Amino acid sequence: MALSYEVVKSALDTSSAQTGGKFVAFDTAYYVANYSVVRDARGVVIDDSLSGFSGDPLQHYVEQGAGKGYMPNAWFDPAFYRAQYSDTGTLSAADLI
């Protein structure tokens, strides 16, 4: 079972506070820039669910984006991580951040 938005947000807020803001597992600017409108190689829109989403982009990631394989930032790829660490296979991508 995947963690809820509230649990993920609380854990990320705590981690950020403990590191003086240096730990940023979810990069809102990156996520919005890359996933507001997702297009395939031909330029056809395949997902624009974030463009109409009025909540916290982290909530969109936890509830929708992680399941679609979206990355939470430019440097962490949940699919690659899962391929390297088989014991994480039952976790959602949002649980990994």
Side-chain angles (χ1 to χ4, degrees):
M1 184 172 137
L3 298 175
S4 70
Y5 161 69
E6 291 80 11
V7 170
V8 172
K9 178 156 179 48
S10 176
L12 294 180
D13 288 347
T14 299
S15 296
S16 181
Q18 290 173 341
T19 63
K22 294 177 183 172
F23 177 75
V24 181
F26 182 80
D27 183 344
T28 299
Y30 169 86
Y31 189 76
V32 170
N34 285 278
Y35 301 116
S36 287
V37 177
V38 179
R39 299 176 186 275
D40 67 12
R42 296 170 294 153
V44 176
V45 174
I46 56 174
D47 183 18
D48 63 355
S49 61
L50 181 58
S51 66
F53 189 78
S54 62
D56 181 355
L58 175 62
Q59 182 177 4
H60 182 276
Y61 176 73
V62 170
E63 295 175 356
Q64 298 180 43
K68 295 175 182 178
Y70 296 173
M71 292 173 46
N73 56 53
W75 55 92
F76 181 71
D77 182 346
F80 176 82
Y81 189 86
R82 274 202 195 100
Q84 300 304 306
Y85 302 98
S86 60
D87 60 328
T88 63
T90 60
L91 300 174
S92 85
D95 295 345
L96 297 175
I97 63 168

